Every structure is written in C-alpha cells, then in structure tokens.
Amino acid sequence: MDYNKLAELLFPQIDKTPEDYEAMFPQRQNAAGGAVITRLGPSPTGFIHLGNLYGAFVDERLAHQSKAADGTPGTFYLRIEDTDDKRYVEGAVDTIINSLKFFGITFDEGAGCGQPDADGEPPYYQSKRGPIYQAFVKRLVSQGKAYPCFLTEEELADIRAQQEAAKETTGIYGKYAEKNRSLTYEEVEANIAAGKPYVIRLKSKGNQGPDGVVYIHVNDEIRGDVSMPANDQDVIILKASGIPTYHFAHVIDDHLMRTTHVVRGEEWLMSLPIHIELFEALGLEPPIYCHTAVLMKLDDETGNKRKLSKRKDPELSLDYYRQEGYHPQAVKEYLLTILNSNFEEWRMANPDADIDEFEFTTEKMNSAGALFDLNKLNDISKDVLLKIPADELADFLLEWAREFKPKAAPLLEDKEYLTKILNIGRDDAKPRKDLIYAKQIFDFISYFYDEYFVIEERIPEQVCDEDAKEILKRYLDTYDHSDDQSQWFEKIRTITADLGYAVKPKDYKKHPDEYKGSVAHVSTVIRIAVMGRSQSPDVWTIQQILGEDKVRARISELIG
Ligand code: GLU
C-alpha cells in the first residue's frame, strides 16, 4: 500500500505539514529557560465546579511560581475543549473566566483572555483547530501508523456483543482491527466514493513483547512512577466529522502550545497508555503529567467517603461559594490546605504572610482522594475574615448583597455603620470568630437593621411576663446612653436585686428557692428586646452602635 497516496486521498485539502505548525508555534522562550507552562482545558458545558478550581489552582501556582533562567515567569493559559458540540452552552466561556477570576485566578493567554486568534497566536478553541489536527493525522496515515476504519454502528455492536460473551476486553484491537487495517487503496477509494462514513484509527503497535505484556512507565509528578500495560487498542483519533477525540487533541495541543506540565484529574490516568503511544507514534516528547486526586467528601448519611456529586452536593458548583458569599481568600486558603499537606504548618509559622509566598509543590500533593469538608472551610474562613480589615469586609458584603440580596443592599451602603458592626469583638485578646460567609454574616448582624429586626426567641422561663415588662420599664427609665459599660451594668444589677433575682448566678444555683432567677435571666430579657435573640456579642457595645433612638424604640415597643 502506498500510504502517501492514501493520505492524499483522505486529506486532499490539507496542505500544511506538521513542520509548518512547528514553525508557526515554536518553543516558548520562557519554557526553554526552564519556566513551567500549564493550561486549563475545560469543556464549555456551563457547569464550572470545584474540581476545575482545584486543578486551576495547581496550574496557576506551578506556572506563576516558576521562573526561567532570565527571571521570566511561566505561562498559564486557557484552552476551550469544545470538540463535543452537543455539550456547548452559550456564555459558558465567560462563566469560566469570571468564576475563576473571582477566586483570583487569571490566565496569561487563551480564549477570551488575551487576543484570541491574533496573528501568530494559536487558536485556543479546539473547534478552530481542525486543520492542525488533520495535518498530523495525515502524517500518521502517510507513515502507515493510522488508517481509515469503516466499521458501522451495527458491526461495532456485534463485535462488542461477541467480546462480552467471550469475556474479552472490548474495543477494536488485534483480530477485530484486521479487516479495516488491511483494506487496499482501491477498497478505501470505493468506500469513500460510495459515501461510507469513516473514522481514523491509530494502528496500535499492541502490547505483546517477547516476555508477555509490555508496560509503560511514566513519572507522574504527583504519583511518582506509574506503570501500566501499554496500549493495544486501535483508538479513534479523528471522528467521522473530522473532529479529533480528546486523546488526539490533547497530544497535539499540549505539544504545539508547549505545555510542560499537564495537570488533570485522575479519571484520565486510565487513558495514559493511549497518550504515550500517540506521542511516540508522532515522534513527540510527552509533557510531565500531574494526575490530581478526585475530590471526596464524607457522606452525611453513611459516613463513608464518596466522590462529590453534582446532584447531591451543591458545594460542588463554584456558584455555591459566590451565592453563599464565601470570601475568595478563604476558599483559596482552604483549597491549599487540601492541596498541599504542608500548607497548614506553613500558615501557622507565617500567620500574616501573603498566601502567594507559600511554595506550592506537586510532591506535597496527596494522590489518594482529597477530602473536602465544608466545616473545615468554615473554620478557615473565620480565621481569614478576622485578618481582613472591617472596612474591606464591609465592601465585600455590600458587593455580595447587590448581587444576591438586593433588597438589603441599600442598608449596607452606610459603610461607617456596617464597619462598626463588623468590628465588634475583633480587637479583643481572644477575638470573636462569628463571621464566616456573607449570607451567614448578614443573618448574624441583621438585627442592626430595623427592616430585618425580629424577636426570634422567647424570654427565659424564670422570668414571668409581668417581670419582663417591669425589667424593661425600669431599664428604659434608667437608661442613659452615655453610661460607660460598668455604669450600665450596675443599673442592671440594681434591677436584678430589686425584683428578687440573684445578682450572682452562682447564688441562684446554690439556693434556687431563694431567687426567681439570676442576673443572667434579667440580661437575657434585655438582650432579646434589643437584639431579638439571646446569643449575641456584648450588649453595651451593640447599643452604642445601634444608637440611643433605636434602643429606646425597641424597648418601648415591648412595654406597650
Ligand atoms: N476537557 C477535559 C475535561 O473537561 C480536560 C482534561 C485535561 O485537562 O486534559 O476534563
């Protein structure tokens, strides 16, 4: 068979060669100097999830932390893997870019982030790279390393059924590939003339060596030496539509875009032997692979580890964090704790350092499933928010409210008031840690705003309704907004004693028959009247922020 002639028959329109593309997209200067080039290759399905962010963090850190010998940093680019057009969702690319930007991840180049398709730049949408892939497929055909396959759906189903019945590996390999591998030029020509659809398959070298199965060895940066049986399948590299499969697109794109490190999910590990064979067939050097661990969580019901699921776990979607109002720094900090086992230790030693100073390494990544835990994220978030100045937090909250709680947004525009609220208890020796994420923060501080103020709790059972009214009446009568904290508390003590409650809670505990209750119960009545709830930061401080008018109005309202 004259393979060159076959290649011309199949790809008459392809006039560029792999060498042309090598020249068009030469080695990058920074990569030549040792910098790391990474990419994110999402499909534009409209759903951007935690796994994307998790991978993007690794990509971003690896590239931006690295430097070429001349000091130029590495490159992190965005490639849209849209070869499966059934999954394309309008606006999905913007969603990807904006969602990642929110978390502080920006691309140096790629779809929508630079000048896509500008002169001399590779197209970053796989759907625009058809002729490039085809030039490389044409080369493989011309070398007898790939061939057209005309197996129909029915034939494929028959082969599959036969293999399943015989408990053999499914797919097109060995004797199942024979028929199409050995078509003559004339047969191919006749099939094409008859309009029969076909795909292009790799002619696998198989994996049988003189001593049995041949293995591939890959040094994965996260997993170390990975050894697997070599590929023996004649995998499809170009579909009937002329569009490449993931396998082929990955090999060509990561080569021509000069990716040095391919960071991708563990689900791709299985196909590694295919990729290695493809690189070899094309005479190209594979990149360094980093297969990240799947994100797991402990199932609430069973207590077992399982993969995060789109259906069951809202926290898988990145939108969740924006809607709830998690601060991007908190999410970033948390992801680093699951990504690098030494991050927490580093953070303890460097509590105030910028997160980007942490030296991220693939060696410290766990190859077993990474455990995602919202409670842990919340704990970290409390610490992170404590370090963000209250006025910045106020801006963050307002921005969140404008998008997700628009009715409350105008209230939050009084920045001075909001900043004071957010500052409560922050400078104490043991600072309060009640702020976690915007939605929770808003609920937590909502009583500061009359529009959201509601009495949420009942007064303690130790206090009868009549006493409650009397407590509030006396409180209002003696209230002086300029009292300092101790003067203020002294007045509560007086009311407590006058009405037959114990000024010291422990006295009430010891002699419950001698008192109606204690100062704690009396204070709770006041707390509920002013804040609507029995748990809150210090009442005196809150009243100072609320202002005299609000305090008096809320109490008068209850006295009737
Ligand atoms: N398009 C693939 C995905 O959505 C990318 C895999 C890779 O990074 O190579 O998972």
Side-chain angles (χ1 to χ4, degrees):
M1 158 84 92
D2 181 344
Y3 292 123
N4 276 319
K5 208 170 139 198
L6 179 63
E8 271 320 313
L9 173 68
L10 299 177
F11 299 102
Q13 77 288 7
I14 296 299
D15 52 5
K16 287 207 171 59
T17 64
E19 289 72 25
D20 292 332
Y21 288 114
E22 295 290 348
M24 269 164 86
F25 310 124
Q27 173 61 306
R28 295 166 183 264
Q29 288 286 317
N30 57 351
V36 170
I37 314 297
T38 56
R39 87 305 196 261
L40 191 71
S43 302
T45 58
F47 182 67
I48 170 132
H49 55 81
L50 201 60
N52 297 124
L53 179 64
Y54 173 81
F57 263 133
V58 182
D59 282 316
E60 192 275 340
R61 283 293 78 206
L62 290 184
H64 291 161
Q65 253 177 20
S66 74
K67 273 192 177 53
D70 66 359
T72 334
T75 307
F76 172 41
Y77 70 90
L78 174 64
R79 178 172 72 226
I80 300 300
E81 309 216 327
D82 55 352
T83 52
D84 186 354
D85 44 46
K86 274 184 251 109
R87 298 169 69 203
Y88 185 81
V89 170
E90 206 54 45
V93 176
D94 285 342
T95 306
I96 293 166
I97 295 171
N98 292 332
S99 304
L100 292 176
K101 201 184 208 167
F102 178 77
F103 292 102
I105 304 227
T106 50
F107 298 96
D108 302 310
E109 58 181 54
C113 346
Q115 307 87 22
D117 305 330
D119 273 357
E121 271 195 56
Y124 293 98
Y125 287 83
Q126 286 185 333
S127 59
K128 293 190 188 162
R129 298 171 63 79
I132 305 180
Y133 304 120
Q134 290 174 17
F136 283 83
V137 175
K138 184 174 184 180
R139 171 63 52 84
L140 287 180
V141 171
S142 74
Q143 294 173 332
K145 293 176 179 173
Y147 64 95
C149 170
F150 294 88
L151 285 172
T152 61
E153 291 294 334
E154 294 77 51
E155 285 171 310
L156 286 167
D158 278 353
I159 292 175
R160 195 182 176 89
Q162 202 181 319
Q163 289 168 333
E164 278 169 358
K167 296 206 163 35
E168 288 175 349
T169 311
T170 55
I172 301 305
Y173 58 92
K175 65 178 182 196
Y176 302 103
E178 221 30 69
K179 185 173 148 202
N180 278 274
R181 274 189 180 210
S182 53
L183 291 175
T184 62
Y185 179 86
E186 290 69 29
E187 284 168 325
V188 173
E189 197 177 30
N191 281 344
I192 291 177
K196 290 191 186 167
Y198 63 93
V199 298
I200 306 287
R201 288 185 186 273
L202 168 74
K203 200 181 280 175
S204 170
K205 294 200 313 208
N207 61 14
Q208 294 302 317
D211 308 318
V213 174
V214 177
Y215 280 75
I216 58 152
H217 296 277
V218 172
N219 192 9
D220 185 291
E221 277 228 344
I222 297 174
R223 286 152 202 275
D225 186 32
V226 171
S227 158
M228 303 165 85
N231 174 54
D232 69 343
Q233 298 257 349
D234 282 8
V235 290
I236 299 176
I237 52 177
L238 209 60
K239 299 187 231 179
S241 54
I243 295 195
T245 52
Y246 166 80
H247 307 308
F248 198 70
H250 150 54
V251 169
I252 300 305
D253 290 347
D254 283 317
H255 169 67
L256 284 182
M257 295 179 170
R258 312 294 170 179
T259 312
T260 60
H261 290 59
V262 166
V263 179
R264 61 182 182 188
E266 153 172 64
E267 66 274 19
W268 295 108
L269 199 56
M270 256 170 51
S271 341
L272 191 55
I274 299 173
H275 306 149
I276 296 300
E277 187 172 7
L278 282 171
F279 274 107
E280 213 174 85
L282 290 157
L284 303 174
E285 196 59 38
I288 294 169
Y289 284 101
C290 311
H291 287 95
T292 59
V294 169
L295 279 177
M296 313 279 273
K297 75 176 269 181
L298 287 181
D299 189 273
D300 292 337
E301 278 161 30
T302 64
N304 293 334
K305 264 194 193 180
R306 64 164 172 78
K307 268 202 211 169
L308 281 160
S309 115
K310 192 169 166 179
R311 197 170 46 81
K312 291 193 208 156
D313 307 311
E315 71 266 32
L316 182 61
S317 162
L318 282 194
D319 286 345
Y320 174 82
Y321 303 90
R322 289 182 72 169
Q323 281 159 13
E324 297 290 291
Y326 278 95
H327 197 286
Q329 272 185 43
V331 177
K332 194 165 175 177
E333 187 99 5
Y334 175 57
L335 280 183
L336 273 173
T337 63
I338 40 179
L339 278 170
N340 254 197
S341 55
N342 55 333
F343 178 75
E344 276 181 283
E345 206 180 302
W346 175 85
R347 180 44 93 202
M348 276 203 283
N350 304 279
D352 299 317
D354 187 306
I355 198 165
D356 287 347
E357 283 172 28
F358 171 70
E359 200 188 323
F360 179 84
T361 57
T362 43
E363 293 90 65
K364 296 284 184 198
M365 283 182 77
N366 200 343
S367 60
L371 203 57
F372 183 82
D373 177 1
L374 266 184
N375 295 325
K376 181 91 197 258
L377 166 63
N378 287 343
D379 280 347
I380 287 183
S381 193
K382 288 177 193 169
D383 287 327
V384 169
L385 295 200
L386 209 50
K387 285 188 208 142
I388 299 176
D391 62 329
E392 272 177 40
L393 216 49
D395 290 337
F396 174 72
L397 214 57
L398 175 59
E399 225 166 280
W400 169 82
R402 281 190 180 134
E403 202 171 344
F404 299 106
K405 208 168 176 69
K407 278 208 192 108
L411 301 174
L412 302 184
E413 265 165 37
D414 183 346
K415 189 169 168 183
E416 205 187 316
Y417 187 57
L418 180 56
T419 306
K420 275 192 209 155
I421 297 171
L422 296 175
N423 245 336
I424 298 175
R426 289 185 139 226
D427 297 330
D428 301 358
K430 247 187 116 204
R432 296 188 64 94
K433 292 188 185 175
D434 341 74
L435 311 183
I436 314 175
Y437 50 93
K439 196 178 191 178
Q440 171 271 337
I441 296 174
F442 185 75
D443 288 343
F444 186 71
I445 65 169
S446 58
Y447 57 81
F448 279 97
Y449 299 94
D450 286 340
E451 293 78 349
Y452 289 87
F453 172 71
V454 272
I455 304 276
E456 290 173 1
E457 286 174 61
R458 298 165 67 98
I459 54 170
E461 56 180 22
Q462 286 80 353
V463 186
C464 64
D465 287 356
E466 208 176 299
D467 273 5
K469 250 191 185 168
E470 191 55 29
I471 291 169
L472 294 176
K473 196 172 156 305
R474 291 181 186 217
Y475 185 69
L476 190 61
D477 287 348
T478 57
Y479 189 77
D480 182 344
H481 198 64
S482 59
D483 281 347
D484 66 19
Q485 195 158 11
S486 60
Q487 289 165 325
W488 164 80
F489 196 57
E490 201 41 51
K491 287 179 178 170
I492 295 183
R493 281 207 180 100
T494 308
I495 300 172
T496 302
D498 288 354
L499 294 180
Y501 292 78
V503 172
K504 290 186 181 143
K506 69 169 190 276
D507 290 345
Y508 170 60
K509 246 192 195 145
K510 265 196 223 151
H511 310 288
D513 300 336
E514 293 175 22
Y515 304 96
K516 296 183 194 166
S518 78
V519 70
H521 304 118
V522 173
S523 302
T524 300
V525 171
I526 296 166
R527 208 180 269 268
I528 291 178
V530 180
M531 264 89 64
R533 41 186 99 165
S534 62
Q535 301 291 323
S536 73
D538 175 61
V539 181
W540 180 82
T541 312
I542 290 172
Q543 292 181 151
Q544 291 302 309
I545 297 173
L546 275 172
E548 181 163 6
D549 292 350
K550 272 200 180 74
V551 176
R552 287 189 180 278
R554 288 183 185 182
I555 294 173
S556 310
E557 171 85 24
L558 288 181
I559 300 174

